[in-house]
Amino acid sequence: MTRSWDDEAEAAATDAEWPTPERIGSDLPPVPQMDVEALLPAPLAGYVRDAAHRKVAPPEFVAISLIVSLGALIEARCGVRPKLLDDWIVVPNLWGAIIAPPSKKKSPSMADGTKPLKWLAANARAKHTKAMEAHQEEVEQFDVMMAAAKKALAKAADADDAEKLQSAKTRIAALKDSKPKPPTLKRYTSNDATIEKLGDL
């Protein structure tokens, strides 16, 4: 009777002595807690300390979101010139990430860190809504004026009056140049950071 390769492998595995399994650990070296007062300006330190205390979360969770939010507000208006005799400018671009196991209050802490930015965005939307209402009134007034100018142009054309015809054409051209433009919503955040979408925004 012949033994197959599988039988021989199984016999060898049974005969072999298995080592004692070792515990799989994820022990990381201890990390010192963030010294909020030493690392942040006083207005930010108080906010971060309070938010972290209420969330029972590490203060750096709130701090990283808050600092990146402030960096987004500054945009490219601030630059660093590393060389004394050179015009090379580096524009800081802040990125942040919170890395922690599940249920460590990452999302609530990040919400606290971005709260000032969301407040500014809400105010901007409210201002834009009012500006759009005013713009709508301007558009209605423009449409009435354009309709009147076109009517005057038609009358001048019917009467074959060159002077009135030219006057009506000039009036229409001036109106086209003064057509009201819709207000632009000042944006602070975006959920789509592709070049194409940001270009549209």
Side-chain angles (χ1 to χ4, degrees), residues 137-199:
E137 292 176 4
E138 291 174 0
V139 167
E140 290 171 2
Q141 184 179 358
F142 172 82
D143 290 343
V144 169
M145 293 169 70
M146 182 62 81
K150 287 180 178 178
K151 190 174 181 181
L153 179 66
K155 282 185 179 180
D158 288 342
D160 200 19
D161 187 338
E163 185 178 341
K164 287 185 178 179
L165 194 63
Q166 185 58 41
S167 175
K169 285 180 180 179
T170 305
R171 175 66 176 153
I172 289 174
L175 281 171
K176 284 182 179 177
D177 289 340
S178 65
K179 185 174 182 178
K181 295 179 181 177
T184 303
L185 171 62
K186 183 171 178 62
R187 294 184 179 270
Y188 293 90
T189 59
S190 173
N191 290 330
D192 189 344
T194 59
I195 294 173
E196 297 80 8
K197 187 61 177 178
L198 291 178

